[in-house]
Amino acid sequence: MEPGTIADWANVGVAAAALVAAAVAGFASLRLMRVEQARDLRDEEHDRRAQASSISAWGAKKGSKDWTLQLLNGSTATVFDVVVSHQTLRGNPQEDRVFTTLPPGAFTVHRDQMKDESGQVVGEHFNLYPAGEGVIMIPGGGVRMVRSIKFTDAFGCRWERTPAGLKQLPS
């Protein structure tokens, strides 16, 4: 054997080993990238669900007999297109309450009457006011008043919370 041939074969062996090492490193990098992407998707889903799980509604009693709806946006971002479906304590469905936005915070739904110049009531609408003192949640009863609350979160996803839980609605 000639010495040049042994050196050539050594170079071929080193090159083949380097190629195998590069392929192994490439596959490991690809696998790591897929793990990172899956984790990013889980984190994004967790963030979306975190805001949605911070939105709630219930019936509350103010004073001895006045019932009202309470809304809570416990997140740091506004939610949009809020629709609260509710009923009386006896199960009689009421008209849905619709709000364009629900900023962060706790709110009480108030019925405001519209009057004409003579003082006659010509209509009514519902507004949100910051929750005040003296509004308490009645265990059991107040929770049953709300059948569902639907809203669009800051990510543009539509959600519905019912007594059965929270679910994302199709876009």
Side-chain angles (χ1 to χ4, degrees), residues 76-153:
T76 58
T78 298
V79 295
F80 306 93
D81 305 321
V82 179
V83 178
V84 182
S85 298
H86 67 104
Q87 62 191 13
T88 65
L89 287 176
R90 292 194 171 130
N92 298 322
Q94 300 294 297
E95 183 179 338
D96 287 351
R97 303 294 181 243
V98 179
F99 304 98
T100 307
T101 60
L102 178 61
F107 299 91
T108 300
V109 177
H110 284 277
R111 180 188 320 242
D112 293 327
Q113 295 180 335
M114 297 175 287
K115 297 181 179 180
D116 63 13
E117 301 81 29
S118 67
Q120 293 284 14
V121 175
V122 294
E124 63 182 17
H125 58 294
F126 294 88
N127 290 314
L128 294 175
Y129 292 94
E133 295 294 319
V135 177
I136 59 169
M137 182 174 159
I138 305 299
V143 175
R144 287 193 311 265
M145 288 179 65
V146 175
R147 294 182 300 171
S148 74
I149 178 170
K150 296 178 186 173
F151 56 91
T152 301
D153 68 13

